Every structure is written in C-alpha cells, then in structure tokens.
Amino acid sequence: MEIQRIENMCGGTGHVLLKPVLDEKQLNGKCGLYAEVTLEPGCSLGYHEHHGESETYYILSGKGIYSDNGELRMVETGDITFTPDGKGHALTNAGEENLVFMALIILN
C-alpha cells in the first residue's frame, strides 16, 4: 500500500509517514487502523485522545518520548504502549534515527 506523508499529525511537529498494512475492507469494521508509522528525527505525533476505540503501539526501532495521558516516559525497540478508550497519548522521536512502530486501533 502507498505510504502517506501527514504534516503536523494531531498537532505534532514535522510529519508522520504512515504505511497501512491492511485496507478498510481487510479491517472488516473491527479495527480503525493497522499501520507501520515512521517518525523521522525532530518529528512528533501530537497529543490526542481516543473515544470509542483503543490504540496500541509496538516499537520496531528507534527511541522516543511517549506521553501516556500526560505522563512522559522513554520508549525504545521492543516496547509496547496501550491507550484505552477515553485516554490520550503522544509520541516524539527522541533520537538520531527514525522511530518506527506498528499502530493498531481497535474499535469498541
């Protein structure tokens, strides 16, 4: 599938590269998104909340600063984050290399 370049996603800095793994038909109304996401150095995905859905990130490479409902923590290769329905999160690339992760949004 085609890689999408999204500027200032959710109010973040720079851009996000989004490579969907499954299309809408394949998601079958069960998921809102399943994609590989890349944050290049200096880029971030801005803080946003989830309503009627939850989101999980699996960090494939790089390191970043993850905001878990406003509480900051470092994430790196192999880490998993989970944002439940009604909560919010953000992610900033904190390294010199790309921060690459899988994003999965599950609909309630």
Side-chain angles (χ1 to χ4, degrees):
M1 287 190 206
E2 189 173 316
I3 296 175
Q4 304 166 29
R5 180 183 170 116
I6 304 169
E7 299 294 331
N8 308 109
M9 189 167 185
C10 299
T13 303
H15 58 271
V16 171
L17 301 175
L18 186 76
K19 180 181 178 183
V21 175
L22 300 175
D23 63 26
E24 188 174 329
K25 182 179 179 184
Q26 293 166 324
L27 294 173
N28 196 29
K30 308 275 191 239
C31 299
L33 175 77
Y34 182 47
E36 179 182 281
V37 183
T38 300
L39 293 174
E40 295 177 339
C43 294
S44 68
L45 174 59
Y47 185 84
H48 60 285
E49 293 182 351
H50 288 271
H51 299 281
E53 61 189 27
S54 59
E55 186 167 26
T56 299
Y57 292 164
Y58 176 67
I59 309 299
L60 298 173
S61 63
K63 60 182 177 179
I65 301 170
Y66 180 73
S67 173
D68 184 359
N69 233 17
E71 185 176 321
L72 302 179
R73 65 182 168 99
M74 293 297 296
V75 292
E76 59 187 17
T77 304
D79 286 344
I80 297 171
T81 69
F82 177 73
T83 303
D85 186 15
K87 303 295 181 180
H89 61 160
L91 185 58
T92 301
N93 184 330
E96 300 296 319
E97 62 183 60
N98 288 347
L99 172 59
V100 182
F101 60 98
M102 298 304 297
L104 175 64
I105 295 177
I106 302 289
L107 305 176
N108 290 348

